[in-house]
Amino acid sequence: MPPRTRGGYTSSAPRRRPTGSERRRRVQLREVEPAADPDSVEHPQHDRDEHEEVFEGAPGGPIDRCILRSFDKHIAAKIWLGEDRAPLKLVNHGAKLQLWELDMERSRIYETVHRSGLASLTSCRHRVASRPMLSAFCERWQPETTTFHMPFGEMTITLDDVASILHIPVTGSMISFSQPLHVDDANALLVELLGTTDVEASREMEQCRSPSVRLLWLRDHFSTITDASSDDDVVFATRAFLLHLVGCTLFADKSATSVAVVYLELFRDLSMVGSYAWGAACLAYMYRQLTTATRFEVRQLGGYVTLLQAWIYEHFPEMFYSPDMSYTESRPRALRWRPHVIADSLQSVRERLDRLQISEVCWEPYEDHRAEHPFPDIAWYSGCIKCGQVVEPYHPERVLRQFGYIQTIPPRPFTPPRPDRSSLLVQYWERWTDHLLTDQSRGRRCLYSGSGETVPEYMAWYDRISHRIVQPPQLRSGSTIDARSSLPSHAAATSDTRIARALTSLRHVISGGRDQSADYFWGALNEAHDILSGSDETSASHSTPSPAPACHSTPSPATRPFFSPPTFVYPPPASVDPPPASDDPPPLIVPPPPASVAPPAPTADPSAPAPDSTASTTVYVRSKRKKKT
């Protein structure tokens, strides 16, 4: 008896699984009769490509939707369809931090805050934030990869960026909550840890309509406590100050006025506050806020705006340059910049980012900062980072150029597990040294620091899976060129990389002065020629790549100086035929005089006799007319 299929009918032919398109459209499966000729058989994969062609592609990219699966809901997809939104509203509490400062009368509170590792947050505040600039970068954020998709590749905020910009700990215990905090539990937490009454706590949360308290309420009740107060009051005020601090910085939500009470549990034991990985929790929270801001219906961006804005200043200084000349490297990098509101519109910033070149990016901005703040090894961690109920993937292998390595095609991003599996995530994080990228995964170092090199096949792959151009061509200012044709996928990025490498090679020679030998100049010009012509890639493709050096941190300028002369292999001198033997001296070639110094020589008369070789001849030497016999 023929076997019975799941559809209810019988057939002697081999059963074929329905494709996703057929299941969605409830298409009746067709029976495939056995055939001797393979060309006569209709393969299921071909049917799938035909049905899912519209699903895989998107206007302006990506062509292949294997990575950006939720791109249909992305703001960049809406922009290409003619829909747009205003610049995002920003949650920035930079001015509120100045309303509660710790002076000499509150030294006991300051000592506890200093031991917690969060004291730098009191000064890391940008009172001004640029809405067009931050909105344009939010449009390039892709939730699946947790990276910004730039025209030349992916970039993201790493744990190294957080540690350098904010100077807060990125290692330690993971900030994890088993479940969301109920209002009754939040009420009990306020009474126990802040010493408030049950009526005050209930009234405050009723006004917030959530298990949260207002930042203003914290300042009004605890900012007046000094060292002269009782020990319990000082402890309550210290917890309130830390809650106010993280609510204004690391975990700023879109309410713009309140902070969740659940973070108060982290300050129960004040001696253990410094043991948490605050930087990793801040990064996970920032990732989630950027992901939320990519939806078209969202009009506001939460999270630590100072972190995002300082990261943009560090990596794109040529576009948004506003340094503070009084900055010293002992301070957090967030204080290196004077934030300002750019006068450009959102569309103008979009187009500037669409035209951005590799040479305009500062891939390793913290080289001068390593003496004061070394590179954290945990920045090579590949896994999930967590903040309470927020779990986000962290992919350093997608942004190798930010660590000084040649970017290769990364593996597929992994989907983070559910937040309720917090125990597994905590165990994974506690063994972070076992989950660092290996030397093989890191690959080879860039030839020069900050060159932003990629493997030859990277840009062709990236052009297929990414949405590189945000502003559609029909809406671009004064341009009607197609977006994908105006920025060639591989040629443009490869040429930018070659130009940057050639300029770096020549910069090494120029910085050495004029006392260098001619062979050194010849070697630099020869290398620049090979880079621009692509000869170096051809020779490299036929040679065995050298293994990546064992590196646990980004090398300091002492081990990898930026202006150190490169090593050249000089070609043998070309053979030149010797001149014919003659007793006459070689002719003297003298340049003609400048027109502004001497009049041009008169035209020779053809009928005049030829000049005698023994007679005096008039020559010009340095614009002075002299006679030599």
Side-chain angles (χ1 to χ4, degrees):
M1 180 178 180
R4 185 177 180 87
T5 63
R6 183 175 299 181
Y9 51 87
T10 59
S11 173
S12 60
R15 180 186 170 197
R16 179 174 63 87
R17 294 186 61 183
T19 64
S21 300
E22 292 170 339
R23 285 197 299 267
R24 286 192 298 269
R25 294 173 173 80
R26 297 182 180 179
V27 177
Q28 180 70 26
L29 295 179
R30 292 171 295 178
E31 291 298 310
V32 180
E33 297 295 337
D37 187 7
D39 297 334
S40 62
V41 180
E42 190 173 357
H43 297 281
Q45 182 64 35
H46 296 171
D47 291 343
R48 178 185 178 183
D49 294 340
E50 179 181 357
H51 289 302
E52 297 186 359
E53 181 179 359
V54 179
F55 174 76
E56 291 184 354
I63 301 175
D64 187 353
R65 295 276 293 280
C66 63
I67 303 296
L68 308 183
R69 296 180 178 272
S70 63
F71 186 73
D72 289 338
K73 301 178 181 179
H74 201 279
I75 175 60
K78 302 296 183 180
I79 293 175
W80 268 78
L81 297 178
E83 305 178 35
D84 205 343
R85 70 180 181 188
L88 295 171
K89 297 179 181 179
L90 304 177
V91 179
N92 187 19
H93 299 296
K96 296 179 181 178
L97 289 174
Q98 296 180 339
L99 302 178
W100 191 355
E101 295 183 339
L102 301 179
D103 50 17
M104 296 300 298
E105 296 181 355
R106 297 166 179 82
S107 59
R108 296 170 62 185
I109 300 177
Y110 177 79
E111 291 175 0
T112 306
V113 174
H114 182 72
R115 290 194 301 267
S116 69
L118 302 177
S120 59
L121 298 179
T122 59
S123 58
C124 293
R125 53 176 183 261
H126 288 177
R127 297 191 61 180
V128 178
S130 177
R131 293 175 59 191
M133 179 182 69
L134 299 182
S135 300
F137 274 88
C138 287
E139 294 170 354
R140 293 188 169 274
W141 181 263
Q142 297 297 339
E144 288 84 358
T145 60
T146 58
T147 56
F148 297 101
H149 281 223
M150 310 304 291
F152 42 77
E154 298 179 50
M155 298 183 68
T156 194
I157 308 174
T158 64
L159 290 172
D160 180 32
D161 291 313
V162 177
S164 300
I165 292 175
L166 302 179
H167 280 195
I168 59 176
V170 293
T171 59
S173 302
M174 177 178 287
I175 295 180
S176 178
F177 308 123
S178 58
Q179 58 186 0
L181 193 64
H182 192 266
V183 175
D184 296 337
D185 298 331
N187 194 336
L189 205 60
L190 290 174
V191 174
E192 179 185 1
L193 300 182
L194 293 186
T196 62
T197 63
D198 186 76
V199 177
E200 290 177 342
S202 301
R203 185 185 302 114
E204 178 61 24
M205 285 187 292
E206 286 179 2
Q207 185 165 352
C208 294
R209 298 180 180 179
S210 64
S212 304
V213 293
R214 292 172 298 158
L215 301 172
L216 177 62
W217 181 82
L218 292 173
R219 292 194 300 268
D220 291 342
H221 283 72
F222 300 97
S223 63
T224 58
I225 296 178
T226 62
D227 293 343
S229 305
S230 63
D231 294 343
D232 291 340
D233 290 341
V234 172
V235 172
F236 294 153
T238 304
R239 291 170 178 159
F241 180 85
L242 290 172
L243 182 62
H244 181 273
L245 182 61
V246 298
C248 290
T249 54
L250 305 182
F251 311 129
D253 56 27
K254 291 191 289 186
S255 67
T257 58
S258 61
V259 57
V261 180
V262 67
Y263 299 114
L264 189 59
E265 183 66 36
L266 303 174
F267 310 125
R268 176 183 294 274
D269 188 354
L270 293 176
S271 62
M272 298 296 295
V273 177
S275 64
Y276 292 107
W278 293 101
C282 171
L283 190 59
Y285 191 84
M286 190 75 246
Y287 281 1
R288 179 59 57 89
Q289 296 299 320
L290 288 170
T291 297
T292 305
T294 60
R295 297 307 178 222
F296 176 73
E297 62 275 5
V298 176
R299 297 293 184 267
Q300 193 174 13
L301 173 65
Y304 199 2
V305 172
T306 298
L307 171 63
L308 177 58
Q309 186 164 252
W311 180 86
I312 296 173
Y313 287 154
E314 290 286 350
H315 290 276
F316 307 92
E318 295 187 10
M319 293 187 63
F320 315 101
Y321 190 70
S322 59
D324 185 355
M325 305 308 296
S326 62
Y327 170 78
T328 58
E329 293 296 340
S330 60
R331 305 161 66 192
R333 273 299 183 104
L335 305 178
R336 186 188 176 194
W337 309 98
R338 291 184 179 273
H340 63 284
V341 179
I342 59 176
D344 297 341
S345 63
L346 176 56
Q347 179 177 343
S348 177
V349 179
R350 281 180 194 158
E351 296 178 4
R352 290 176 63 186
L353 293 179
D354 287 341
R355 298 189 301 266
L356 193 66
Q357 306 294 329
I358 293 181
S359 57
E360 301 179 73
V361 180
C362 183
W363 295 99
E364 300 174 75
Y366 313 117
E367 292 294 326
D368 298 335
H369 200 60
R370 297 306 184 194
E372 298 289 340
H373 201 80
F375 177 84
D377 293 344
I378 199 172
W380 286 114
Y381 165 79
S382 180
C384 289
I385 51 180
K386 194 173 188 291
C387 176
Q389 296 294 308
V390 175
V391 180
E392 292 291 339
Y394 177 75
H395 299 293
E397 63 274 9
R398 308 190 72 88
V399 291
L400 292 176
R401 288 178 288 185
Q402 293 182 223
F403 300 97
Y405 285 77
I406 299 176
Q407 182 61 57
T408 58
I409 297 179
R412 279 198 171 191
F414 51 85
T415 303
R418 299 188 307 269
D420 54 0
R421 304 181 65 182
S422 58
S423 59
L424 298 178
L425 293 175
V426 171
Q427 295 176 8
Y428 193 91
W429 172 261
E430 289 177 350
R431 298 193 302 268
W432 62 267
T433 54
D434 299 334
H435 305 290
L436 302 180
L437 287 185
T438 62
D439 292 341
Q440 182 179 2
S441 300
R442 302 176 195 182
R444 294 180 298 165
R445 277 196 166 275
C446 294
L447 183 61
Y448 299 119
S449 174
S451 58
E453 300 176 57
T454 64
V455 294
E457 63 272 12
Y458 173 79
M459 287 308 303
W461 167 84
Y462 180 70
D463 183 66
R464 181 174 178 83
I465 62 95
S466 177
H467 185 83
R468 301 168 58 198
I469 306 299
V470 176
Q471 188 68 18
Q474 65 273 16
L475 300 179
R476 195 174 302 168
S477 301
S479 176
T480 58
I481 305 177
D482 179 71
R484 302 188 74 86
S485 62
S486 63
L487 186 64
S489 59
H490 180 59
T494 304
S495 62
D496 293 339
T497 305
R498 291 176 180 174
I499 292 174
R501 292 172 52 195
L503 290 177
T504 306
S505 175
L506 297 177
R507 192 182 299 113
H508 291 319
V509 181
I510 295 173
S511 63
R514 300 184 177 182
D515 298 334
Q516 304 172 84
S517 63
D519 292 340
Y520 187 76
F521 283 100
W522 166 256
L525 293 175
N526 181 56
E527 183 180 16
H529 174 270
D530 291 343
I531 292 174
L532 294 176
S533 61
S535 303
D536 60 331
E537 294 182 0
T538 304
S539 60
S541 62
H542 295 284
S543 61
T544 303
S546 58
C551 176
H552 299 287
S553 64
T554 301
S556 61
T559 59
R560 190 184 59 183
F562 183 75
F563 290 105
S564 61
T567 303
F568 301 106
V569 179
Y570 305 112
S575 59
V576 181
D577 297 335
S582 175
D583 297 334
D584 298 335
L588 177 64
I589 302 176
V590 182
S596 60
V597 177
T603 306
D605 187 2
S607 61
D612 189 2
S613 59
T614 60
S616 61
T617 305
T618 302
V619 298
Y620 295 96
V621 179
R622 291 190 179 181
S623 305
K624 292 184 179 181
R625 192 169 186 178
K626 295 182 180 180
K627 286 189 176 182
K628 292 185 179 180
T629 304

